[in-house]
Amino acid sequence: MAPLQNSMKPIWTGDTPPANIQETWDYIDFQLRMLKNKLMTKIEKVFYGSIDPIQYLIHVEEVFKHKHRTKRVKQEIPKLASVNDLDNLCKVTVADGKRPGLGVRDAGFSKDLRTYTDGFKKTLKQLDELYDDVHDMFTLLHTYCRNYQSLEGEFDLKWARETNLELKNNLRGISELLSSAKNGVNVKLFSSEKFSLEVAETCDCRRYPILRLFPDIFQKFHICLQMIGKWRAYDQIYLEDVQFKLIRIKRLLRLKQEEYGNLELEHGNLLSNIVEKRVRVKLKELHERIKLIENEISRLHTRRKQMLGEKGEIGRASCRERV
């Protein structure tokens, strides 16, 4: 894993705690570009080939149906829901290939079945590796990009709760689907929307749930990467918003201090008891207002130090654990 920052690698590589939050953001941006490119060009495109994904799956379904037309095969393999099912079908196909009289079309289907099975196993391994990379990114977000959290570790914002939950659900779904691919896909984990649903409506995924497995996992990966990018962007926005509020309150404090000084001067020059009483009341109000502003500045400074300092603490702790 490693992200592009204007065609250059980021300063921070993730092996040690980052010097500042900007290094973390640059690293995440780079990793996201690398992971998206890996998913789309090195996994999805290679799996589907140069064919439209839906057309490719329709062709594979036709291969399955052709191989299941033989009564003997149909009895042995009622459906295809795992890598083991694909291997069994390939074994029967090899045995049938030794029988005389098979046509060119059948031989072509047998070749396509072996090609699909080999590609399926290769893609399954790549998706396992991609899952580890994406999960590492999720852990990185939880370690360093926590500006949306309160001092007690709770989620301050609705989007943060929703994004965290959606990321966890999709990562769990990917993990369980990959784990079940060998012995039998758990169809309850399939998404009920977008491209996964389109595949289900186009192909016979009740009999061949294996056809829907990768399209659904690809879709879940795209959602995860999108959520990670959203989390990273909002983390920066939230921190910058706190800094902006700090600058604005400091400016307000300066103006109030100037007003306070003018009133003190006015108070020293006034001889009227009535006016003096009014000024004293105003001075008291301003003094209380300044105290509130100073308390707010102190709170924001503490918040900012904890957000920036906490990352270094957590980073150093994670390094000690790795050691």
Side-chain angles (χ1 to χ4, degrees), residues 1-142:
M1 286 198 336
L4 275 174
Q5 182 187 15
N6 298 326
S7 301
M8 295 177 62
K9 289 186 178 181
I11 297 174
W12 186 54
T13 59
D15 297 327
T16 58
N20 52 64
I21 189 61
Q22 186 62 53
E23 287 188 359
T24 304
W25 292 334
D26 292 342
Y27 180 78
I28 291 173
D29 290 343
F30 179 82
Q31 294 291 355
L32 278 176
R33 284 192 290 271
M34 295 292 287
L35 291 175
K36 287 178 181 178
N37 181 67
K38 180 178 181 180
L39 174 60
M40 290 187 292
T41 64
K42 296 182 179 180
I43 299 180
E44 280 186 281
K45 189 174 181 180
V46 172
F47 178 71
Y48 293 126
S50 57
I51 307 173
D52 174 77
I54 289 293
Q55 294 303 315
Y56 174 75
L57 294 173
I58 290 174
H59 173 70
V60 175
E61 180 185 23
E62 186 182 356
V63 172
F64 291 162
K65 288 180 176 179
H66 176 80
K67 291 302 174 184
H68 276 176
R69 288 194 183 105
T70 304
K71 183 178 180 182
R72 178 166 55 86
V73 176
K74 190 171 183 178
Q75 289 174 342
E76 291 179 357
I77 310 174
K79 71 174 185 177
L80 294 175
S82 68
V83 175
N84 288 339
D85 291 340
L86 284 175
D87 285 337
N88 290 335
L89 183 59
C90 285
K91 289 177 183 177
V92 174
T93 299
V94 170
D96 284 346
K98 297 178 181 179
R99 291 187 295 117
L102 291 178
V104 175
R105 187 167 183 263
D106 188 82
F109 279 153
S110 297
K111 180 181 178 182
D112 288 346
L113 175 61
R114 288 192 297 271
T115 301
Y116 174 80
T117 303
D118 292 341
F120 187 93
K121 292 178 179 179
K122 179 181 177 181
T123 302
L124 189 62
K125 182 178 179 181
Q126 290 176 314
L127 290 175
D128 275 326
E129 295 171 355
L130 183 64
Y131 172 81
D132 291 338
D133 291 340
V134 175
H135 194 275
D136 286 346
M137 291 292 291
F138 180 64
T139 302
L140 185 68
L141 289 173
H142 264 291

Side-chain angles (χ1 to χ4, degrees), residues 230-242:
K230 178 181 177 182
W231 186 331
R232 172 260 179 270
Y234 277 32
D235 187 69
Q236 182 175 358
I237 291 172
Y238 194 62
L239 178 58
E240 290 174 349
D241 183 59
V242 171

Side-chain angles (χ1 to χ4, degrees), residues 145-160:
C145 299
R146 305 196 300 182
N147 292 325
Y148 57 84
Q149 289 184 343
S150 67
L151 299 181
E152 292 76 31
E154 298 295 329
F155 293 109
D156 282 340
L157 305 175
K158 182 180 178 181
W159 73 261

Side-chain angles (χ1 to χ4, degrees), residues 128-193:
D128 275 326
E129 295 171 355
L130 183 64
Y131 172 81
D132 291 338
D133 291 340
V134 175
H135 194 275
D136 286 346
M137 291 292 291
F138 180 64
T139 302
L140 185 68
L141 289 173
H142 264 291
T143 303
Y144 295 109
C145 299
R146 305 196 300 182
N147 292 325
Y148 57 84
Q149 289 184 343
S150 67
L151 299 181
E152 292 76 31
E154 298 295 329
F155 293 109
D156 282 340
L157 305 175
K158 182 180 178 181
W159 73 261
R161 292 192 297 270
E162 293 175 348
T163 301
N164 182 64
L165 180 61
E166 188 169 3
L167 262 171
K168 283 184 176 180
N169 288 341
N170 279 283
L171 284 171
R172 182 169 58 250
I174 291 171
S175 177
E176 292 180 8
L177 282 172
L178 290 174
S179 299
S180 66
K182 183 176 181 180
N183 298 315
V185 175
N186 183 358
V187 297
K188 294 181 180 180
L189 297 173
F190 287 147
S191 301
S192 59
E193 57 182 357

